[in-house]
């Protein structure tokens, strides 16, 4: 039976609920800077989130909603510059502490670190966005707690492709069976499962609660905090993990170990 040695976290939607009030607002600010009359409303952004990666998302928006747009240079170059502006806006917003970590995240990170469980990140977002978010957290130097930060364009294909989780595993030098992954979206679930990370916890976020998380070991509405337990929504190991969750009241390391054990006992038949 493999030991739980590392936890690999997604960022957007998982460590923090950044999409609606963070990324979306930063995209709109960049559009305004460029003199474009593009405005991504909350529902439109929800639709566009099926495309991972900001540059890819802008490209899809242009193709579907602005087919007659004539960029002043190559479309790829224009999108790259526009996206650069978006990243600057996003980082500034994070620096002001606009969006904090989700409830339970800091508690779980501290417990894992104290127990010697290694921490990693696998995300589609631009690396600078991750460091800006973590730099604004209440614990100084939080980014350094993560031994591996696999982010953005470093892989050929973004989620739902498995590449970014595979890269995180490679950098950790661990097999998937030694890890638990934490995600919030259907694209993230497909990516993690594709990399063999079957011990997969989903904490749904504001945009993802109605998505399909088939194959995830446990689906919750959050990590919860003592006195404020999360709601169990689904999962192949929901029964096994829910007993520990009921006893401990929120997602802690014992819940992750129960989930990891359940998945690997089932795999061993
Ligand atoms: C995050 C994303 C990213 C962000 C924007 O997905 O899809 O595209 O929305 O980041 P995940 P950039 O949570 O699955 O990693 O604009 O920096 O690409
Ligand atoms: Mg996410």
């Amino acid at each position: 039976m493999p030991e739980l040695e590392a936890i690999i976290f997604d960022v957007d939607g998982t460590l923090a609920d950044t999409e609606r009030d963070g990324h979306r607002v930063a995209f709109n600010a960049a559009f305004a800077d460029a003199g474009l009359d593009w405005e991504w409303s909350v529902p439109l952004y929800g639709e566009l989130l099926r495309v991972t990666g900001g540059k890819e998302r802008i490209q899809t928006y242009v193709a579907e909603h602005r087919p007659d747009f004539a960029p002043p240079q190559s479309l790829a170059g224009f999108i790259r510059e526009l996206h650069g502006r978006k990243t600057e806006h996003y980082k500034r917003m994070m620096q002001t502490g606009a969006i904090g970590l989700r409830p339970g995240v800091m508690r779980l990170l501290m417990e894992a670190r104290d127990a010697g469980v290694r921490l990693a990140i696998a995300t589609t977002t631009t690396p600078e966005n991750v460091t800006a978010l973590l730099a604004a957290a209440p614990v100084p130097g939080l980014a350094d707690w993560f031994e591996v930060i696999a982010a953005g364009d470093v892989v050929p294909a973004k989620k739902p492709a498995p590449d970014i989780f595979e890269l995180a595993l490679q950098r950790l030098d661990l097999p998937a069976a030694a890890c638990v992954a934490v995600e919030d979206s259907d694209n993230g679930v497909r990516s993690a499962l594709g990399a063999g990370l079957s011990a997969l916890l989903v904490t749904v976020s504001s945009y993802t609660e109605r998505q399909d998380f088939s194959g995830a070991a446990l689906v919750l509405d959050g990590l919860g905090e003592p006195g404020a337990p999360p709601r169990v929504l689904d999962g192949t190991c929901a029964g096994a993990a829910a007993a520990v969750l009921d006893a401990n009241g929120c997602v802690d390391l014992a819940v992750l170990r129960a989930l990891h054990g359940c998945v690997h006992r089932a795999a061993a038949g």
Side-chain angles (χ1 to χ4, degrees):
M1 188 66 175
E3 286 278 300
L4 170 59
E5 293 187 53
I7 310 171
I8 310 178
F9 291 89
D10 168 52
V11 174
D12 295 303
T14 302
L15 292 184
D17 208 344
T18 48
E19 294 291 6
R20 192 191 64 187
D21 301 326
H23 289 292
R24 184 185 68 88
V25 174
F27 280 111
N28 284 332
F31 299 156
D33 285 349
L36 298 162
D37 66 345
W38 306 351
E39 172 80 30
W40 288 359
S41 66
V42 170
L44 173 61
Y45 192 66
E47 286 168 35
L48 292 170
L49 274 176
R50 74 181 190 282
V51 182
T52 58
K55 294 186 285 294
E56 295 83 347
R57 195 167 296 145
I58 297 172
Q59 193 178 358
T60 299
Y61 171 76
V62 172
E64 292 180 356
H65 297 266
R66 303 282 168 169
D68 300 328
F69 175 64
Q73 51 178 303
S74 79
L75 183 59
F78 180 76
I79 289 177
R80 212 168 26 249
E81 279 179 24
L82 192 57
H83 186 257
R85 293 298 298 258
K86 177 256 163 180
T87 299
E88 293 309 313
H89 279 291
Y90 184 82
K91 284 193 304 188
R92 259 199 305 280
M93 290 172 68
M94 294 306 111
Q95 279 154 11
T96 64
I99 296 183
L101 300 176
R102 287 185 69 178
V105 167
M106 206 53 242
R107 173 184 53 73
L108 183 60
L109 293 176
M110 282 197 265
E111 191 192 357
R113 181 176 153 94
D114 287 348
V117 172
R118 298 161 69 192
L119 299 170
I121 279 175
T123 176
T124 295
T125 204
T126 303
E128 299 155 75
N129 296 347
V130 181
T131 35
L133 173 76
L134 296 177
V139 173
L142 184 59
D144 299 334
W145 290 25
F146 294 89
E147 201 177 315
V148 168
I149 298 182
D153 293 326
V154 289
V155 285
K158 291 183 175 168
K159 298 175 188 177
D163 304 31
I164 199 74
F165 277 105
E166 287 171 350
L167 179 67
L169 287 170
Q170 192 189 318
R171 290 194 183 159
L172 285 166
D173 194 22
L174 284 176
C179 305
V180 163
V182 189
E183 262 292 349
D184 76 301
S185 71
D186 53 0
N187 280 324
V189 163
R190 291 210 289 286
S191 176
L193 292 178
L197 289 154
S198 45
L200 174 59
L201 167 66
V202 174
T203 51
V204 301
S205 59
S206 53
Y207 270 122
T208 67
E209 53 200 358
R210 285 188 194 82
Q211 293 181 348
D212 176 8
F213 303 114
S214 305
L218 182 61
V219 183
L220 304 173
D221 67 355
L223 295 174
E225 288 282 36
R231 214 151 45 87
V232 178
L233 304 175
D234 202 356
T236 55
C237 279
V244 188
L245 193 56
D246 273 350
N248 294 9
C250 54
V251 176
D252 58 8
L253 212 45
V255 171
L256 295 191
R257 288 197 206 280
L259 182 144
H260 181 256
C262 165
V263 165
H264 293 293
R265 265 192 311 277

